[in-house]
Amino acid sequence: MKTTFQNIKGTFDILPDRSSLGGAEGAGSATWQYVEATIREVMRRFAYEEIRTPILEPTELIARGIGQSTDIVSKEMFAFERGNTHYVLRPEITAPVIRAYLQHHMGQSGGVQKLYYIGPCFRAERPQKGRYRQFHQFGVEAIGSDDARADAEVIALMMAVYHALGVETSRLRLNSLGDEHSRPRYKEALRQYLEPYRNDLTETSRQRLERNPLRILDTKNEKERRLLDGAPLLIDAIDDESRQHYEDLKAFLDDLGIAFEEDPYLVRGLDYYTRTAFELESASLGAQDALAGGGRYDLLAQDLGSKQRVPAVGFAAGLERLILALAAQGVELPQTPPLDAFLVALGDEATRWAFHQAQGLREAGLRVSLDLKGRSMKAQMRAANRQKARFTVIVGKDELAAHQVQVKDMESGEQVAVSFDVLTNYLNERKFKILNSKS
Ligand code: HAM
């Protein structure tokens, strides 16, 4: 016997019409479509335009963009080689967007490019609730502005998406990482502070002490947290311009009524950040509580070969985590719209007529289904019920002869004869009546 196949661990199928929101994996495609449509609507309001970049990118772009010593690049890339080309399944979309921006000279107009994306990303992490190997991000990049208003707008947009979907967020953490001069100075100060405690550190932090001491600030280990209490603070070490930028950003967020918490220990898992870094959490997610994260990355374009400095800021968010939060918070989502009509036909001639008629009704904009298996009338009625058809249109030999159908209202059970020529109008009128009475 041949074995059947299962999806790869850490990936999942999105199936149609799953009415129960059993977490990200349980949500049906209608839920995903609704969430995506809401995201696009918020992007429209903020005047961000969509960019779609390939899922395959050159490995070097990602390694250089995100940083060799990050977990993503050192441990989590799905990378492979064919011929002389090194490919990676993109683990994030910021570096690809900046690649496209530079490649297509998108900065030539001189303004700010406000771009958004929705799409799959890949990281070989240990799968668990809220953490997948193929997951989906939506996010934005505002490219070409130094101004703290760009940072504030990006954060406001991020919050607006959760607001539009009715998802409660718990904490927006904010920090400034300084610029290319102050950060290395701080790194060194932190290294010197931690060096005497080397033996008290976890293995991971010991490695980070050599390669990337900033990441130790991120630790969840209690002992290390206590150690860090006495460490120099990033915010005290940053340059004056970065500090001013940070103050401006906080003032803009206050103006917009966006609550945040300053967190001097917030650093991010990607190396390209300068100045602003932020992370949005949800209390309903458990261990993987980061809904979204982002910040400013004024040096990334140059790291990727640009001769000019291209200041930019953005965020990205996990769609699975958003859907998990929706589910945990019991947010009601619109279901797949019911059928306007299911055509039930009896006999060859009527079946032919119904198949043809369905096409006309669909052209008129109605959502219509019918049997495709030659099933009995009873089975067809059952299918109409299952698909929650608003009306069932029944046609047999007698109806064909009389040029009329029986239309059954599936809610009231009432059944009336309707002539062929007015069937489309009849169903359309009732559809709009139903829609109006609901609103
Ligand atoms: P990130 O923090 O690595 O940032 O990812 C952003 C979001 O993607 C996370 O907050 C989380 O919701 C989701 N996410 C990440 N990894 C996984 C996973 N394995 N499974 C499920 N969800 C996941 C970035 O990717 C940056 N590019 C953000 C950015 C945009 N910075 C500036 N612009």
Side-chain angles (χ1 to χ4, degrees):
M1 200 177 72
K2 283 192 182 145
T3 50
T4 54
F5 297 98
Q6 300 268 313
N7 62 299
I8 282 172
K9 206 168 153 223
T11 72
F12 56 89
D13 302 310
I14 298 169
L15 304 177
D17 197 23
R18 297 282 285 267
S19 46
S20 78
L21 257 178
E25 287 134 283
S29 49
T31 299
W32 281 79
Q33 283 178 12
Y34 171 72
V35 168
E36 287 163 6
T38 308
I39 293 168
R40 288 179 197 284
E41 167 55 19
V42 175
M43 298 298 173
R44 187 192 66 77
R45 283 190 238 154
F46 278 77
Y48 280 62
E49 287 180 299
E50 188 178 16
I51 180 164
R52 300 187 190 199
T53 58
I55 284 163
L56 283 179
E57 289 284 358
T59 308
E60 182 59 19
L61 163 76
I62 298 299
R64 235 198 295 152
I66 301 179
Q68 290 286 359
S69 66
T70 57
D71 286 352
I72 297 179
V73 172
S74 62
K75 299 194 270 206
E76 297 166 0
M77 287 202 297
F78 283 104
F80 59 97
E81 216 180 312
R82 280 182 77 91
N84 292 326
T85 309
H86 294 256
Y87 301 85
V88 64
L89 298 179
R90 65 181 184 195
E92 60 104 55
I93 311 184
T94 307
V97 165
I98 294 300
R99 178 205 42 74
Y101 175 90
L102 296 173
Q103 180 178 336
H104 304 291
H105 311 289
M106 291 170 77
Q108 255 169 6
S109 62
V112 181
Q113 285 285 334
K114 307 206 297 181
L115 306 171
Y116 85 88
Y117 46 79
I118 305 181
C121 294
F122 303 82
R123 295 183 192 178
E125 296 193 83
R126 196 166 51 79
Q128 55 177 272
K129 185 179 165 210
R131 197 205 262 163
Y132 308 92
R133 295 190 148 190
Q134 174 169 347
F135 60 100
H136 299 78
Q137 279 192 346
F138 69 94
V140 307
E141 313 297 346
I143 310 169
S145 168
D146 259 323
D147 200 303
R149 271 176 306 179
D151 309 46
E153 180 175 272
V154 157
I155 292 175
L157 190 163
M158 173 179 81
M159 301 307 287
V161 170
Y162 295 96
H163 183 73
L165 285 161
V167 178
E168 276 171 42
T169 58
S170 54
R171 251 183 359 145
L172 169 63
R173 293 187 295 139
L174 193 64
N175 195 14
S176 176
L177 306 177
D179 68 6
E180 65 266 45
H181 307 296
S182 59
R183 194 140 55 128
R185 272 204 306 275
Y186 175 73
K187 264 191 190 170
E188 199 37 48
L190 184 64
R191 200 196 313 267
Q192 277 176 18
Y193 169 82
L194 286 171
E195 194 53 61
Y197 306 107
R198 173 181 280 275
N199 292 334
D200 300 322
L201 298 178
T202 57
E203 177 58 34
T204 317
S205 293
R206 267 205 298 277
Q207 278 168 16
R208 285 180 170 161
L209 192 59
E210 305 302 331
R211 287 155 56 108
N212 198 355
L214 273 188
R215 289 284 299 173
I216 302 177
L217 294 179
D218 231 9
T219 181
K220 296 219 161 86
N221 179 298
E222 270 309 310
K223 200 168 141 202
E224 289 185 342
R225 287 239 69 99
R226 279 198 300 277
L227 252 181
L228 286 169
D229 279 343
L233 289 182
L234 232 170
I235 200 74
D236 295 330
I238 65 174
D239 54 290
D240 290 344
E241 263 186 64
S242 294
R243 192 187 311 278
Q244 188 57 52
H245 185 93
Y246 187 53
E247 293 304 322
D248 290 347
L249 169 59
K250 288 189 292 179
F252 290 136
L253 291 177
D254 283 339
D255 283 353
L256 295 175
I258 295 174
F260 58 88
E261 280 178 33
E262 292 181 67
D263 180 353
Y265 297 112
L266 173 68
V267 284
R268 305 248 314 121
L270 307 100
D271 278 354
Y272 48 59
Y273 294 108
T274 47
R275 297 192 172 163
T276 312
F278 56 87
E279 221 157 84
L280 181 66
E281 290 170 9
S282 160
S284 32
L285 284 181
Q288 303 303 319
D289 61 358
L291 277 175
R296 184 164 272 286
Y297 50 92
D298 295 341
L299 305 175
L300 177 58
Q302 282 160 298
D303 288 343
L304 299 181
S306 167
K307 290 200 183 70
Q308 265 109 42
R309 186 169 168 280
V310 182
V313 57
F315 81 87
L319 272 160
E320 287 78 6
R321 292 190 192 173
L322 190 166
I323 291 174
L324 277 168
L326 277 174
Q329 292 167 17
V331 177
E332 295 250 349
L333 297 178
Q335 299 294 315
T336 314
L339 285 181
D340 295 315
F342 191 99
L343 305 192
V344 171
L346 225 87
D348 287 348
E349 217 180 318
T351 301
R352 252 181 105 171
W353 179 89
F355 196 60
H356 181 248
Q357 184 66 27
Q359 192 73 358
L361 294 173
R362 288 163 175 164
E363 275 165 18
L366 292 158
R367 184 169 155 90
V368 171
S369 190
L370 77 174
D371 175 58
L372 294 175
K373 283 174 72 167
R375 282 180 293 187
S376 71
M377 174 151 171
K378 216 162 131 201
Q380 291 182 51
M381 289 303 283
R382 264 204 308 273
N385 251 324
R386 211 174 32 244
Q387 294 180 43
K388 301 195 182 69
R390 190 61 192 81
F391 293 96
T392 307
V393 175
I394 305 159
V395 59
K397 229 184 183 159
D398 296 346
E399 283 79 16
L400 277 185
H403 278 253
Q404 59 181 31
V405 289
Q406 295 292 324
V407 176
K408 184 174 176 188
D409 182 327
M410 299 297 271
E411 247 163 46
S412 66
E414 193 191 351
Q415 190 164 314
V416 289
V418 176
S419 127
F420 281 0
D421 0 314
V422 297
L423 178 62
T424 309
N425 275 349
Y426 183 90
L427 292 175
N428 244 334
E429 267 169 26
R430 269 147 197 83
K431 177 184 169 140
F432 287 112
K433 223 194 249 150
I434 291 163
L435 283 178
N436 287 335
S437 71
K438 275 187 188 145
S439 59

